[in-house]
Amino acid sequence: MQNYPEELRTPPVRLISLVGCPDLHPTISNHLLSEQPPIHTLAFPDLSNISFLLPLPSSKESSEPSLSTPPPGILKRDWLLKRRTKVPAVVAALFPSLHVSGDPAQWLQLCSDLDHLKAVTRSRNIKLVVIIVHSDSRDDINEDRMIALRKRAEVDTKYVIFVKPNDASDLSQSLHRLRNSFSELANVYYKDEGRKLKTRIEKRTSSYTELNIRYCFKAAVYAEFLSDWIEALRFYEDAYNKLWEISGLPTKSLSIQRLVEIKTVAEHLHFKISTLLLHSGKVVEAVTWFRQHITLYSRLIGEPDTEFLHWEWMSRQFMVFAELLETSSTTSLSIPALGLGTGNKPLTEWEFHSAYYYQLAANYLKEKRSSFELISSMYINADELEKTTESLVPSVYVGQYCRLLEQVDVTLMQIVTDKEFLNNTIAGEKKHQEPFHMITLLKKAYESYSHAKAQRMSSFCACQIAKEYYAMDNLEEAKRHFDNVASLYRREGWITLLWEVLSYLRDLSRKHGIVKDYLEYSLEMAALPISFDVHMLSLRSKDCCPVNPATLDNREKIHNEVFNLVHEESVLASVEHGKELKVTGDNPVHLEIDLVSPLRLVLLASVAFHEQVIKPGVPTLITVSLLSHLPLTIELDQLEVHFNQSECNFIVVNAERLPSAAMASDKHGHRVEQAPSLALSSNKWLRMTYQIKSDQSGKLECTSVIAKIRPNFTICCRAESPASMDDLPVWKFENHLETLPTKDPALAFSGLKTIQVEELDPEVDLILSASTPALVGETFIVPVTVVSKGPDIHSGELKINLVDVRGGGLFSPRETESFSSSHHVELLGISGMEDNADSHLISDEAMKIKQSFGLISVPFLKRGEPWSCKLQIKWHRAKPIMLYVSLGYSPLSDDPNAQKINVHRSLQIDGKPAVTIGHHILLPFRRDALLLSRTKAIPQSDQSLSLPLNETCILVISAQNCTEVPLQLLSMSIEADNDGIEEKSCSIKNASSNLVDPALLTPGEEFKKVFTVTSEINSSKQIRLGNVLLRWKRYSKTEDQYDSNVGSVLTTQSLPDVDIEFSPLIVCMESPPYAILGDPFTYFIKIKNQSKLLQEVKFSLADVQSFVISGSHDDTISILPVSEHVLGYKLVPLASGMLQLPRFTLTSARYSASFQPSMAESTVFVFPSKPPCELADKGDAGPESSGPISTSLS
Amino acid sequence: MIVCVAVVGHQNNPLYIQSFTEADDALKLHHIVHCSLDVVDERVNNPRKSGPTLNETFLGLLYPTENYKVYGYLTNTKVKFIMVTTDLDVRDADVRNFFRRFHAAYVDAVSNPFHVPGKKITSKTFAESVSTIVKSFGFSSAI
């Protein structure tokens, strides 16, 4: 497209001319250009200059082209340019107002100038505008002069325009007016010109089609000037169709030059049409038009000699259309629905893509090149061509060429003959060959296709690019593109296409002298799945290329070539670069085949262990299978099988080929196996099974199999597991018999190239013993014993881990209670055996202990030697835990890196509480205090205990053994808290013996101890009673000799808080401890008022059958403050046994509280007669006193 | 005249490709068939554009080259049939008819219990029937 002249490529812009007053020109022309649609300006400083541009019409030019002789050409080359740059539609004459209104001389000059201008413009129908420039506002032009001027210029009033350059607002107004006038007049001018041409066309004034075409073209251009695109399109199409009438004649009648001219004109017209169509968004029409254009002109090939011109022209059509499509933004936006194309010739997707046209342009260019080569080879005589060096220049007419003859002072254009034209063209073509033109086109197509994600199309383009580079000997570029393409063909299994690409690549590497690449490509080609298919036989391209037909024969040929090459004697000459391809000892070839390499076709190694897990040192079987798709059988010299444990590597030697090597031991000390033959026939697994053993535990993996084919040629093949083997890239589509890599089909589907080598069996006893559950609080001992049964133990290490059985940690941040550690279970320490004094202390560096984790090192142990230690674990909470102990040691040496053997043991241990501590408080017997807090509503039964002030209460603490083992209770005490009341421990009943000899508590047994509590402080707040401290230990007969405090455990439990309350009334009942039937006794009821108020109480005593009562039954009495009222009754028992005393009821009026003693308190035992033994001593003690228990609370 | 027919599998791999030209342009035809798969992909992935050909096995003209026309057909098992012809004026009905017969022949071939789906078709009977269908192309409508 860039080759076209500017005026053809862009839409025409209207042109006007300014004459005179040059200082105003820039203002006006800028204004005209900035508006839409723009107007171009031709500016002349002086009126006299105009004649250079528009010479006075000569008689020859003014006349119409002669109608009698055929015109020499169709379109004049410079006509369009002239219309755009030289012939204005309007001429504006600028006069200063001074000249108009000035002296007569100036006026006369102005008039003559105007006449001259008129003469020039009138003949060409150019419109005239007169502009009067008011440089000074004072200038005034009288009306007569104005009329005279108008008459002289023969212009309408509105086309005489005043401009005041000094007045900004007026200037812009004037400019606007100017513009309107110009545009109006220019439209008139172009319309007139167009109309003139149209009448000529309609009248068919000329019998020559050429002239009609010219008129149509001109009419179209004038329509374009008017932006009448539809009209323009119609005339261009007319011109195009008329042109076809000429060229549609039998081609023989057209001379070479004539054909060239027609095609050039057609090209121009077509370009215009396409541009107009595309710019108006009619993509479908444009594409259809282009298709029609190509269909019409593709037949006009012309003489065989000029065929290359035709192909070049065709190529240009495609290229230009591609560029048009690319630049036209509408293409990407709206590709219309397909199938709606023109009837039976629907459009396809790619016809809307520029890539398609670029590709075809390149194709035609290729065609052109081949036909040009043919024609230029016919013109062997270079001298003849040399002679025709004088170049042809384009002549007056589009598409015509002539020779430029330079005479002394004039240049003449001479028409050339067809022969001369042809010679010249060929010579010119030879000089200006553009080798990269085609690659550029193809690259554009490639990029465009890639952008549209059409990878196969783009690959095809890449393939063509690569072939071009190949032809140009640009080897790197060619290889890069070919390699890309080959990967696609490999993936999709297009064998023939792959074969072609590989042929090129192979030849490239041959030219480069790269042996490795050459071998790789050759081997891949030889291994491609090409059999006897007949249709493959005809595979040959017309180009001279290194592609041989893809046949089995050729595969075999390549195979033999490769194997001859790796035999040292053969050398393949690389002709072009003087390099030689050879494989020698100095230049060995080593090919790597990994899991994605295309060379997997050539050699595929599948390795399967027969077992999944083995013990170290125990032999197992391994099957190494090789598969090759090369057409002929290959013999391997030796096979190296490599493992990740290099000591397992082994070598298989072909006994036939290397009988001597088999005897020699391998220099690395690897195992050497002998195989009778290592022949790898085509498409057949070579299976070999060998024994293998590993002494090292861990993973044993076969990494690679290296096949040494010839001394200087090895192929390293990554080992693959049969279970996870991918299909071979190209062969997977073939309908051939597939065999399994191993004989055992199960192994073929599940076999792996890795095997797990287990650790050695540990020959060590690790014993954990804990018979009973642990008790909370005690230091629980778990003995651990290590005994070596087999080899010695070096650098042993014992790891101890405590884990909560229910999961989760042993740590609970929720617990706020004040444990020394927040761990519920804690590993306190590890001690050695007690009977072994040396190891009693384990040094700190050998032992690392954290709360739930410990690590100690075990000393060197000989065979059979035991070692033991004790783990001290303390439970803070009742919780079952799991104890994990693992011993790691190395059986052989002290080397820290040596392989270790691990033994694991675990033991679940329950932690249980040892004792449950209970308590209860007893108030004094038959002495009841009125506690006001109790008289209130008692819905909340959990309210804390209240104690009366200044009374002695009894606290009973009980401790029950809730374990399954007997415990020894060493002491029990109450410890006061730091604040609150002081307490003093009291002696226990039968104390002395119990303290010395700890109490033995069998499982389930309960121990009780009694305390008295007296409170003397009336405090509103609650009082802490303190904590019960219980010291105990496990009962053990053997440990008697030790200090009883060793190993003892202190269990603490806090007592509940109590309220101390002042009681206003206290009721005491006094009666003898027993009575005798018929013997009267006195029953006192004392009511004590402790308050400082007068208390009014109501009491009543109910009658009972068992007793005869004397005394007041019920009454209301008043008791003075801090005094006591005693009620005395005489009672005679009438029955014997445990009898209920008369019920006494007391009601306090002040507190509206009534009192009734409990049943248990108001009973007395009545003997039937006086007992024979002496009871008097015991009777003294009295039931209400606590006997020897004496408690004092201060 | 039909110059090439092809059956293309799921991975865009050729299952059967046969050219019917005396000239040595089999390679070129293979390229054309391979490139036309892009158009098939495009039509299958953007069915909106293909409008009336939606849900139809016959894909129509895939792409015009200088001398050939390429037609496509997609079976409901997503196997593609490609046909390359040199006739510039081909009736759609003829092509449809051709593909229908070709499809029938293909179904017969893959119904062979010894045929492994996804592998190349090597049946001679299939090749023969294809060549019969190809030869009768264009005449069938006359009969």
Side-chain angles (χ1 to χ4, degrees):
Chain A
M1 202 158 76
Q2 301 303 322
N3 297 334
Y4 292 144
E6 165 77 21
E7 66 267 18
L8 197 66
R9 277 187 282 138
T10 53
V13 180
R14 289 173 288 181
L15 186 73
I16 60 130
S17 179
L18 298 175
V19 190
C21 292
D23 42 343
L24 258 183
H25 291 178
T27 324
I28 298 174
S29 49
N30 284 345
H31 176 76
L32 293 179
L33 206 57
S34 63
E35 295 286 313
Q36 275 302 325
I39 298 175
H40 280 165
T41 321
L42 271 179
F44 296 99
D46 206 326
L47 279 173
S48 54
N49 298 110
I50 192 96
S51 47
F52 293 123
L53 174 69
L54 303 167
L56 279 173
S58 64
S59 60
K60 174 188 159 237
E61 214 176 312
S62 64
S63 69
E64 281 300 307
S66 150
L67 299 181
S68 53
T69 55
I74 301 170
L75 296 184
K76 278 198 177 155
R77 178 178 303 281
D78 54 352
W79 184 84
L80 186 55
L81 189 63
K82 243 188 190 167
R83 286 299 164 285
R84 293 184 51 151
T85 59
K86 285 188 180 161
V87 182
V90 180
V91 171
L94 285 86
F95 298 111
S97 58
L98 202 64
H99 289 203
V100 183
S101 61
D103 54 44
Q106 279 174 328
W107 169 248
L108 278 179
Q109 174 64 34
L110 188 148
C111 286
S112 80
D113 281 350
L114 211 51
D115 283 344
H116 176 64
L117 198 61
K118 249 165 57 186
V120 173
T121 54
R122 182 65 52 78
S123 65
R124 291 160 194 272
N125 200 19
I126 295 173
K127 309 296 173 201
L128 187 65
V129 173
V130 175
I131 302 171
I132 294 163
V133 183
H134 274 278
S135 48
D136 192 349
S137 55
R138 285 167 304 162
D139 284 343
D140 205 15
I141 304 166
N142 61 32
E143 200 60 26
D144 294 346
R145 278 280 169 90
M146 280 308 296
I147 293 166
L149 180 72
R150 226 156 34 221
K151 278 194 172 163
R152 181 64 78 156
E154 293 177 52
V155 291
D156 207 48
T157 324
K158 61 177 176 179
Y159 298 131
V160 177
I161 296 162
F162 296 93
V163 176
K164 289 179 183 163
N166 298 332
D167 184 349
S169 69
D170 191 73
L171 180 68
S172 74
Q173 233 170 22
S174 318
L175 285 177
H176 187 68
R177 217 160 45 230
L178 264 183
R179 194 197 134 70
N180 284 345
S181 309
F182 285 153
S183 135
E184 205 172 293
L185 283 174
N187 281 356
V188 172
Y189 169 76
Y190 290 123
K191 224 174 256 173
D192 283 352
E193 291 295 307
R195 199 178 298 127
K196 257 190 261 170
L197 287 164
K198 272 183 240 171
T199 44
R200 272 192 217 166
I201 297 164
E202 277 158 20
K203 281 182 184 168
R204 300 187 171 275
T205 47
S206 164
S207 57
Y208 297 107
T209 326
E210 286 88 341
L211 281 181
N212 278 329
I213 294 167
R214 194 184 298 173
Y215 296 151
C216 286
F217 178 73
K218 285 180 179 178
V221 171
Y222 285 127
E224 270 197 282
F225 271 119
L226 291 168
S227 305
D228 187 354
W229 310 119
I230 297 167
E231 178 100 343
L233 189 65
R234 192 165 63 81
F235 279 111
Y236 280 128
E237 283 180 11
D238 266 2
Y240 185 89
N241 291 336
K242 288 197 167 90
L243 184 68
W244 179 244
E245 284 173 23
I246 308 177
S247 47
L249 301 171
T251 46
K252 290 285 175 194
S253 64
L254 289 173
S255 71
I256 293 173
Q257 291 189 66
R258 183 73 169 152
L259 195 60
V260 168
E261 183 188 358
I262 287 172
K263 277 187 189 164
T264 316
V265 173
E267 184 180 347
H268 281 194
L269 290 174
H270 166 70
F271 175 74
K272 271 293 176 192
I273 294 167
S274 301
T275 316
L276 284 175
L277 282 174
L278 285 176
H279 278 212
S280 50
K282 297 173 179 167
V283 188
V284 179
E285 283 84 347
V287 172
T288 318
W289 179 267
F290 178 78
R291 194 194 259 184
Q292 186 197 335
H293 173 62
I294 291 302
T295 322
L296 287 179
Y297 281 90
S298 60
R299 284 179 254 161
L300 291 185
I301 299 173
E303 303 285 325
D305 286 356
T306 57
E307 214 172 88
F308 75 94
L309 286 176
H310 174 74
W311 297 131
E312 188 184 4
W313 183 85
M314 288 290 276
S315 162
R316 201 163 54 240
Q317 303 308 300
F318 278 96
M319 185 185 74
V320 167
F321 194 70
E323 281 168 349
L324 274 179
L325 267 184
E326 208 169 40
T327 49
S328 154
S329 56
T330 47
T331 40
S332 54
L333 294 177
S334 63
I335 292 180
L338 297 165
L340 301 177
T342 51
N344 56 353
K345 286 187 179 177
L347 298 173
T348 55
E349 289 89 341
W350 298 125
E351 285 176 88
F352 295 94
H353 274 277
S354 55
Y356 172 74
Y357 298 98
Y358 280 127
Q359 194 193 348
L360 286 177
N363 272 3
Y364 282 112
L365 211 57
K366 197 172 167 188
E367 200 84 45
K368 175 219 160 184
R369 195 175 54 191
S370 58
S371 69
F372 179 71
E373 272 161 14
L374 192 73
I375 195 88
S376 60
S377 65
M378 281 156 63
Y379 286 78
I380 312 160
N381 194 348
D383 298 340
E384 193 185 336
L385 284 176
E386 283 304 312
K387 267 186 255 168
T388 60
T389 42
E390 75 238 73
S391 56
L392 292 182
V393 292
S395 82
V396 186
Y397 292 97
V398 172
Q400 286 188 4
Y401 295 89
C402 60
R403 187 184 301 140
L404 208 60
L405 290 181
E406 291 190 18
Q407 306 289 352
V408 185
D409 51 352
V410 283
T411 52
L412 281 181
M413 294 216 178
Q414 191 188 40
I415 290 171
V416 292
T417 61
D418 274 3
K419 174 85 177 156
E420 282 167 337
F421 173 75
L422 192 58
N423 283 348
N424 251 301
T425 321
I426 292 170
E429 190 68 35
K430 277 209 159 177
K431 271 185 210 158
H432 307 106
Q433 271 185 345
E434 284 184 53
F436 286 102
H437 192 191
M438 195 154 126
I439 290 178
T440 316
L441 287 178
L442 284 169
K443 270 190 180 156
K444 277 186 179 171
Y446 170 75
E447 277 156 20
S448 181
Y449 276 134
S450 307
H451 186 68
K453 296 203 172 58
Q455 51 169 342
R456 297 177 192 86
M457 296 277 200
S458 60
S459 293
F460 181 55
C461 292
C463 190
Q464 284 176 306
I465 294 172
K467 281 183 200 168
E468 283 305 308
Y469 278 124
Y470 172 82
M472 287 160 56
D473 260 5
N474 186 341
L475 303 178
E476 283 83 14
E477 283 291 311
K479 183 168 166 12
R480 189 167 66 84
H481 282 99
F482 272 132
D483 274 336
N484 281 343
V485 175
S487 67
L488 175 73
Y489 292 156
R490 269 186 208 122
R491 196 168 65 237
E492 300 194 338
W494 287 78
I495 311 295
T496 43
L497 307 182
L498 184 58
W499 173 272
E500 183 200 11
V501 172
L502 288 177
S503 302
Y504 275 103
L505 281 169
R506 176 168 173 260
D507 201 54
L508 277 174
S509 48
R510 185 179 61 80
K511 285 182 176 177
H512 256 228
I514 304 172
V515 180
K516 195 178 168 205
D517 282 2
Y518 179 76
L519 288 179
E520 280 184 359
Y521 292 128
S522 302
L523 285 173
E524 191 185 348
M525 280 176 83
L528 283 181
I530 297 166
S531 48
F532 294 104
D533 290 345
V534 184
H535 68 279
M536 299 287 186
L537 284 170
S538 61
L539 251 183
R540 184 177 287 126
S541 145
K542 272 185 275 182
D543 327 331
C544 61
C545 78
V547 183
N548 288 315
T551 58
L552 189 60
D553 285 347
N554 276 323
R555 279 176 63 198
E556 287 175 4
K557 210 170 114 192
I558 292 171
H559 177 103
N560 287 329
E561 249 174 52
V562 169
F563 282 88
N564 286 336
L565 185 66
V566 297
H567 263 294
E568 285 185 43
E569 49 266 29
S570 156
V571 167
L572 196 67
S574 167
V575 187
E576 279 86 338
H577 293 78
K579 289 174 186 162
E580 284 182 340
L581 287 181
K582 63 180 173 188
V583 180
T584 61
D586 308 331
N587 185 19
V589 176
H590 179 74
L591 300 184
E592 290 271 351
I593 301 178
D594 59 11
L595 299 184
V596 292
S597 163
L599 291 181
R600 287 177 71 221
L601 310 174
V602 176
L603 193 63
L604 181 67
S606 145
V607 177
F609 283 99
H610 287 219
E611 285 169 75
Q612 289 177 342
V613 180
I614 50 161
K615 299 264 185 242
V618 178
T620 182
L621 291 177
I622 183 171
T623 297
V624 178
S625 321
L626 296 177
L627 179 71
S628 167
H629 280 291
L630 289 174
L632 301 173
T633 303
I634 52 175
E635 279 271 332
L636 308 182
D637 284 356
Q638 71 172 42
L639 205 64
E640 293 175 26
V641 184
H642 286 230
F643 294 88
N644 61 346
Q645 298 179 8
S646 60
E647 59 268 29
C648 296
N649 293 359
F650 65 90
I651 297 172
V652 185
V653 174
N654 188 342
E656 271 179 29
R657 296 184 67 92
L658 296 170
S660 57
M663 297 299 133
S665 70
D666 181 64
K667 57 179 178 243
H668 299 295
H670 293 154
R671 192 153 62 100
V672 177
E673 298 274 352
Q674 266 198 46
S677 152
L678 282 176
L680 208 56
S681 48
S682 179
N683 197 12
K684 205 172 160 196
W685 286 99
L686 173 67
R687 307 184 184 109
M688 292 165 287
T689 302
Y690 294 101
Q691 262 198 354
I692 188 166
K693 67 176 181 180
S694 168
D695 293 328
Q696 202 180 341
S697 69
K699 198 167 84 165
L700 177 64
E701 181 177 10
C702 180
T703 51
S704 57
V705 175
I706 299 177
K708 193 177 241 180
I709 295 172
R710 294 291 177 271
N712 301 319
F713 182 47
T714 49
I715 299 180
C716 173
C717 212
R718 193 75 58 87
E720 297 182 39
S721 302
S724 60
M725 198 154 57
D726 287 337
D727 290 336
L728 284 173
V730 186
W731 280 87
K732 66 181 167 188
F733 302 121
E734 288 305 303
N735 195 5
H736 69 290
L737 181 68
E738 283 181 18
T739 49
L740 298 176
T742 53
K743 266 182 196 160
D744 177 10
L747 201 58
F749 290 113
S750 65
L752 291 174
K753 62 172 178 173
T754 57
I755 193 166
Q756 198 65 38
V757 183
E758 285 186 336
E759 285 180 352
L760 280 169
D761 274 345
E763 289 179 276
V764 164
D765 274 346
L766 179 65
I767 304 154
L768 298 181
S769 45
S771 48
T772 56
L775 302 182
V776 172
E778 72 170 339
T779 304
F780 189 68
I781 305 288
V782 181
V784 178
T785 314
V786 178
V787 185
S788 163
K789 294 188 297 184
D792 302 340
I793 293 177
H794 296 268
S795 54
E797 211 172 40
L798 206 60
K799 285 180 198 158
I800 299 123
N801 216 345
L802 300 180
V803 177
D804 192 346
V805 168
R806 282 188 295 269
L810 296 166
F811 170 79
S812 145
R814 219 160 25 84
E815 304 292 337
T816 51
E817 278 154 83
S818 58
F819 279 115
S820 57
S821 138
S822 38
H823 275 123
H824 299 164
V825 185
E826 203 180 351
L827 181 64
L828 292 179
I830 301 161
S831 62
M833 278 303 278
E834 283 154 16
D835 52 350
N836 189 345
D838 293 339
S839 63
H840 190 78
L841 290 170
I842 296 172
S843 60
D844 279 348
E845 59 256 37
M847 174 171 80
K848 289 175 195 155
I849 292 176
K850 284 187 179 171
Q851 272 145 340
S852 61
F853 179 76
L855 185 71
I856 45 169
S857 41
V858 178
F860 168 72
L861 290 180
K862 285 199 194 104
R863 182 192 176 103
E865 196 178 342
W867 178 87
S868 67
C869 65
K870 288 184 171 179
L871 308 181
Q872 298 166 347
I873 306 171
K874 188 171 182 183
W875 270 256
H876 296 295
R877 280 296 167 88
K879 203 175 184 78
I881 59 137
M882 208 68 182
L883 171 68
Y884 290 99
V885 176
S886 56
L887 171 71
Y889 74 98
S890 66
L892 301 171
S893 69
D894 271 331
D895 181 14
N897 295 325
Q899 200 172 10
K900 291 222 165 186
I901 298 177
N902 289 300
V903 193
H904 307 279
R905 291 287 183 276
S906 65
L907 184 69
Q908 181 174 347
I909 307 171
D910 281 350
K912 286 187 175 170
V915 285
T916 42
I917 296 172
H919 73 275
H920 69 274
I921 290 177
L922 298 173
L923 292 178
F925 188 62
R926 286 188 182 164
R927 184 180 169 87
D928 291 290
L930 173 65
L931 297 176
L932 291 175
S933 64
R934 290 211 193 153
T935 62
K936 290 170 188 158
I938 345 163
Q940 59 270 63
S941 53
D942 57 338
Q943 73 179 136
S944 60
L945 196 66
S946 294
L947 294 182
L949 187 69
N950 288 338
E951 295 291 322
T952 304
C953 298
I954 296 163
L955 174 66
V956 182
I957 306 285
S958 65
Q960 191 182 12
N961 179 356
C962 56
T963 65
E964 288 153 7
V965 291
L967 299 176
Q968 269 182 322
L969 203 67
L970 300 179
S971 70
M972 178 191 271
S973 61
I974 293 182
E975 177 197 66
D977 274 350
N978 41 5
D979 59 341
I981 50 170
E982 287 175 27
E983 289 156 58
K984 202 154 80 181
S985 178
C986 56
S987 58
I988 305 169
K989 205 175 186 175
N990 309 326
S992 55
S993 62
N994 266 351
L995 273 173
V996 173
D997 227 7
L1000 178 69
L1001 277 182
T1002 55
E1005 201 180 357
E1006 202 173 16
F1007 174 85
K1008 288 185 182 170
K1009 189 167 174 181
V1010 179
F1011 301 87
T1012 58
V1013 183
T1014 308
S1015 61
E1016 287 174 344
I1017 298 161
N1018 187 7
S1019 129
S1020 59
K1021 69 174 185 182
Q1022 291 193 330
I1023 289 174
R1024 295 191 69 88
L1025 283 181
N1027 296 320
V1028 179
L1029 302 180
L1030 189 69
R1031 190 169 284 283
W1032 56 271
K1033 61 186 279 189
R1034 273 176 191 252
Y1035 175 70
S1036 153
K1037 281 175 191 165
T1038 55
E1039 285 176 20
D1040 279 352
Q1041 70 264 36
Y1042 296 110
D1043 182 5
S1044 61
N1045 275 330
V1046 169
S1048 69
V1049 180
L1050 189 69
T1051 304
T1052 311
Q1053 183 167 331
S1054 64
L1055 290 170
D1057 298 346
V1058 293
D1059 289 324
I1060 304 292
E1061 207 177 323
F1062 171 76
S1063 60
L1065 288 174
I1066 293 177
V1067 180
C1068 291
M1069 283 166 282
E1070 281 176 20
S1071 75
Y1074 60 90
I1076 295 161
L1077 186 69
D1079 259 10
F1081 65 93
T1082 321
Y1083 179 36
F1084 292 109
I1085 296 170
K1086 295 177 183 167
I1087 306 164
K1088 193 174 175 186
N1089 179 5
Q1090 288 189 311
S1091 66
K1092 291 183 178 148
L1093 301 166
L1094 182 74
Q1095 297 283 355
E1096 191 186 75
V1097 294
K1098 209 163 94 183
F1099 69 90
S1100 68
L1101 192 77
D1103 276 333
V1104 283
Q1105 288 183 337
S1106 327
F1107 295 96
V1108 176
I1109 311 168
S1110 77
S1112 59
H1113 265 68
D1114 45 352
D1115 199 1
T1116 303
I1117 51 170
S1118 293
I1119 307 168
L1120 291 172
V1122 201
S1123 66
E1124 199 176 40
H1125 183 86
V1126 180
L1127 295 171
Y1129 294 94
K1130 209 63 167 175
L1131 278 85
V1132 181
L1134 297 179
S1136 61
M1138 205 64 177
L1139 293 181
Q1140 187 77 44
L1141 286 171
R1143 295 297 300 268
F1144 174 77
T1145 312
L1146 180 84
T1147 307
S1148 159
R1150 182 178 292 275
Y1151 303 111
S1152 50
S1154 75
F1155 163 75
Q1156 211 166 29
S1158 67
M1159 290 295 214
E1161 280 185 336
S1162 54
T1163 50
V1164 70
F1165 188 78
V1166 180
F1167 286 96
S1169 61
K1170 195 171 165 74
C1173 56
E1174 190 59 49
L1175 289 169
D1177 291 346
K1178 289 189 175 173
D1180 289 343
E1184 75 268 32
S1185 81
S1186 302
I1189 305 170
S1190 64
T1191 311
S1192 76
L1193 288 171
S1194 59
Chain B
M1 187 182 78
I2 290 177
V3 288
C4 189
V5 290
V7 181
V8 180
H10 294 158
Q11 291 167 298
N12 286 323
N13 53 314
L15 296 179
Y16 178 83
I17 182 159
Q18 176 73 57
S19 46
F20 299 95
T21 47
E22 296 303 317
D24 297 334
D25 48 6
L27 192 57
K28 191 172 166 189
L29 289 171
H30 285 204
H31 272 302
I32 288 172
V33 171
H34 187 236
C35 286
S36 67
L37 296 178
D38 272 337
V39 191
V40 176
D41 277 0
E42 167 96 14
R43 295 233 175 130
V44 172
N45 294 337
N46 303 325
R48 184 181 53 80
K49 282 186 190 169
S50 29
T53 58
L54 187 69
N55 279 343
E56 212 188 332
T57 49
F58 179 57
L59 296 174
L61 179 65
L62 294 184
Y63 93 123
T65 62
E66 314 105 284
N67 306 318
Y68 304 108
K69 285 192 170 207
V70 187
Y71 288 88
Y73 185 91
L74 184 74
T75 71
N76 40 18
T77 54
K78 306 286 179 236
V79 172
K80 296 151 198 164
F81 297 156
I82 308 287
M83 184 263 267
V84 187
T85 171
T86 48
D87 300 347
L88 293 180
D89 206 13
V90 188
R91 290 196 305 162
D92 248 18
D94 284 350
V95 185
R96 278 170 199 272
N97 188 32
F98 163 80
F99 275 126
R100 204 167 45 243
R101 296 175 65 190
F102 191 65
H103 194 172
Y106 168 78
V107 169
D108 285 351
V110 294
S111 304
N112 180 350
F114 295 104
H115 175 79
V116 184
K119 302 272 181 186
K120 281 188 178 164
I121 303 169
T122 46
S123 152
K124 281 192 182 113
T125 321
F126 178 67
E128 277 164 24
S129 61
V130 166
S131 98
T132 317
I133 296 167
V134 165
K135 274 176 197 149
S136 67
F137 176 69
F139 298 113
S140 57
S141 56
I143 298 164

